[in-house]
Structure formats: structure tokens, C-alpha cells
């Protein structure tokens, strides 16, 4: 990115200064763009510049293109602001710009660092997810989908994994799981506990502030789903405290119950949540 473009984006984000410059900090999946850090003196912001291929013919490319549309809606249409108001630390949206070949999202730079997903880190991450889920609980999830978030949250639900499903072994425990996969998927879609989920809450998508506060980013796959999916993924694919999974899950439920109660809403019974978590 040239300095002139960095200065233009910074101005649109209401950032002052003339000597803006850009540094590439990460390439996006499948070469679909770049994440830049824009800086001027001590001020730093982030610009996620998505450049889609001329044709998105594959299932994977179409899924990625949809994910960037979702993330643009998340920042542009007030969903990030709702989470910030609820005490969930996410990047603050500064400017969202649609282009013919993609989208540019300018956001605040999180001040945290990658942290250990040990027991304490997992507890705080699950607490942040509980506040996120409470924010969009029940009918609010449908409203968010109507506003542009994913109709089905997460990047790994069965409808998008036909190739992986077809390649599953037909014998042993994997064969039994294959036989049950469609029924499990249907059961989770029909679960009475529905919200907006982050969709990819692994350790790589969390930062931690100096005081341990978790900070969430990467909202490409946020959308409606059973929130137990977020909890299961966080425990299985992020945490190193799997031996304390039951206690951590119960702690998440307590945090969710507190957040829902503060809104005057009835939390789900803990036994029902834990049963659903086993399927997720």
C-alpha cells in the first residue's frame, strides 16, 4: 500500500496527520488481500484490504467471499459497537469501504498480545464468549442474520464440509460418527439455545491485554448457531486445559446466566447446556 492510500484511509477514519505509512502484517487466506498496520507518529490503526478473484467458482472461494461480506457488516452496521457496549473487547470500527473487487475495513489496533490459553486464559476467553452470546441471544440472532451476519455461524458446519464428510472412514468409531453426523447437525440447528457465535474462537483469534482481559477479532464467520459450538471449539482447538473442561464449561454457563439475567432473560438449565455441549 502506498503512503497516499494509507493517508486517504486514515483521513476517512478521522485520524489526523500527513505522514501515514503502511506495513503489511499478514496475507489473507488464498491470497485474497492483505492486513496492514497504518502508522503516523505514535498512532496506529489496522486496515484489512480484501481483494477477491474475478471469479469465485469453488465452494471454498464463495465461502471466503461471503465471510468478508459478513465481517464488513459486523463492523459497518453496529454489531461490533454492541459488543463493545456489552464489555466485549473487539476492534473499534473506523471505516468500511466496499469496492468492485472486495472491501476495505479500517479498525482500531488492539493493544494486547497473544497469550497462553491455559486454564486462566480459557476462563476469561469463555467469559467473553458468554457476554457475546448473551448480547445476541434468541430472536436477536435472527435480527443480526437479517442485517448481514452469517445465516449459519462457524466455518465448519456440515453443509460446507461435503468433501470432508465424503472422505470419512466408514468403519470403526469414525464410521459410527459419520452415520450420526447429519442427525447431530440437525439436532444442533434445532437446539432451543441459539445466538450469534464468533464462529472461530481459537487461540489465534484472541489477544490478551496486560491485565489479562481477552480481546476478540476475526469476525468472518460470526452468525447464528448454537453457542455450545463456540464453547466446544474454544475448549478443543484453543485451550490447553482440557482436563478441566467440565469446570470451564460450568463457569461459562454461570457467566452466560449472569449476562442474560442482567437483561431480564431466563438462562438455559445447566444440564441442558452440558448435554448440548457433548454433541457440539
Amino acid at each position: 500500500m502506498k503512503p497516499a492510500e494509507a493517508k486517504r484511509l486514515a483521513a476517512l477514519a478521522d485520524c489526523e496527520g500527513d505522514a501515514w505509512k503502511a506495513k503489511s502484517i499478514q496475507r489473507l487466506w488464498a491470497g485474497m488481500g492483505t492486513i496492514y498496520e497504518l502508522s503516523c507518529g505514535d498512532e496506529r490503526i489496522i486496515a484489512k484490504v480484501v481483494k477477491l478473484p474475478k471469479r469465485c467458482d469453488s465452494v471454498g472461494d464463495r465461502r471466503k467471499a461471503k465471510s468478508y461480506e459478513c465481517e464488513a457488516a459486523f463492523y459497518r452496521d453496529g454489531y461490533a459497537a454492541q459488543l463493545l457496549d456489552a464489555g466485549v473487547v473487539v476492534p473499534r470500527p473506523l471505516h468500511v469501504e466496499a469496492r468492485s473487487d472486495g472491501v476495505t475495513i479500517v479498525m482500531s489496533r488492539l493493544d494486547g498480545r497473544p497469550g497462553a490459553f491455559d486454564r486462566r486464559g480459557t476462563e476469561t476467553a469463555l467469559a467473553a464468549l458468554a457476554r457475546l452470546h448473551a448480547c445476541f441471544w434468541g430472536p436477536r440472532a435472527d435480527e443480526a442474520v437479517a442485517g448481514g451476519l452469517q445465516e449459519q455461524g462457524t466455518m465448519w458446519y456440515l453443509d460446507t464440509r461435503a468433501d470432508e464428510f465424503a472422505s470419512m472412514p466408514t468403519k470403526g468409531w469414525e464410521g459410527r460418527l459419520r452415520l450420526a453426523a447429519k442427525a447431530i447437525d440437525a439436532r444442533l440447528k434445532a437446539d432451543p439455545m441459539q445466538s450469534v457465535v464468533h464462529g472461530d474462537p481459537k487461540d489465534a483469534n484472541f489477544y490478551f491485554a496486560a491485565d489479562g482481559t481477552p480481546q476478540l477479532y476475526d469476525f468472518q464467520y460470526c452468525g447464528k448457531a448454537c453457542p455450545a459450538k463456540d464453547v466446544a471449539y474454544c475448549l478443543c482447538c484453543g485451550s490447553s486445559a482440557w482436563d478441566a473442561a467440565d469446570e470451564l464449561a460450568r463457569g461459562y454457563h454461570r457467566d452466560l446466566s449472569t449476562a442474560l439475567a442482567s437483561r431480564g432473560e431466563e438462562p438455559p438449565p445447566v444440564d441442558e447446556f452440558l448435554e448440548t455441549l457433548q454433541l457440539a
Side-chain angles (χ1 to χ4, degrees):
M1 180 186 294
K2 294 182 179 180
E5 176 66 0
K7 181 181 177 181
R8 184 185 74 85
L9 291 175
L12 290 170
D14 292 328
C15 297
E16 298 179 352
D18 294 321
W20 284 91
K21 57 185 179 180
K23 178 178 70 174
S24 172
I25 57 176
Q26 185 176 329
R27 294 282 292 168
L28 300 179
W29 283 103
M32 290 189 179
T34 305
I35 299 175
Y36 296 94
E37 181 184 77
L38 310 185
S39 62
C40 180
D42 293 331
E43 189 167 9
R44 282 163 174 69
I45 58 177
I46 298 297
K48 189 171 188 175
V49 181
V50 179
K51 292 189 176 181
L52 300 175
K54 292 182 179 179
R55 296 179 60 180
C56 292
D57 293 329
S58 71
V59 172
D61 281 354
R62 289 195 295 271
R63 186 169 65 237
K64 291 183 183 70
K66 173 62 177 174
S67 79
Y68 293 123
E69 292 174 9
C70 170
E71 189 167 36
F74 173 80
Y75 286 108
R76 180 187 61 232
D77 298 332
Y79 302 109
Q82 288 185 53
L83 290 182
L84 288 164
D85 289 343
V88 183
V89 181
V90 301
R92 181 168 53 88
L94 301 175
H95 174 67
V96 178
E97 179 178 277
R99 309 187 317 275
S100 60
D101 63 344
V103 65
T104 297
I105 304 170
V106 184
M107 64 194 89
S108 65
R109 181 181 182 274
L110 296 173
D111 62 359
R113 295 288 184 273
F117 242 58
D118 54 14
R119 177 162 180 163
R120 180 56 184 157
T122 306
E123 286 176 348
T124 60
L126 288 173
L129 291 175
R131 290 192 294 274
L132 184 158
H133 297 153
C135 193
F136 298 105
W137 195 258
R140 293 190 293 276
D142 294 312
E143 294 168 4
V145 169
L149 301 191
Q150 297 277 7
E151 185 176 352
Q152 291 189 67
T154 77
M155 62 177 296
W156 35 266
Y157 59 90
L158 189 59
D159 295 327
T160 63
R161 299 298 171 181
D163 292 341
E164 291 86 342
F165 177 76
S167 66
M168 288 181 69
T170 57
K171 297 180 180 180
W173 70 267
E174 291 172 301
R176 294 192 294 274
L177 181 59
R178 175 175 176 155
L179 289 173
K182 292 183 179 180
I184 293 172
D185 180 64
R187 163 66 175 77
L188 291 171
K189 287 175 181 174
D191 194 277
M193 293 175 283
Q194 297 291 324
S195 181
V196 166
V197 298
H198 176 275
D200 194 17
K202 57 193 176 187
D203 52 347
N205 288 332
F206 279 90
Y207 271 178
F208 291 89
D211 64 358
T213 300
Q215 304 171 335
L216 266 167
Y217 59 98
D218 194 351
F219 286 88
Q220 292 172 225
Y221 296 95
C222 65
K224 182 180 177 180
C226 174
K229 289 187 174 185
D230 260 357
V231 178
Y233 193 68
C234 184
L235 289 172
C236 293
C237 301
S239 177
S240 62
W242 182 243
D243 57 341
D246 184 70
E247 294 176 48
L248 290 165
R250 290 176 183 274
Y252 161 85
H253 182 268
R254 286 192 297 272
D255 291 329
L256 175 67
S257 299
T258 299
L260 288 174
S262 71
R263 295 172 175 268
E265 297 175 320
E266 188 72 21
V270 64
D271 291 343
E272 292 182 13
F273 165 70
L274 293 175
E275 179 182 344
T276 300
L277 182 61
Q278 292 299 314
L279 293 173

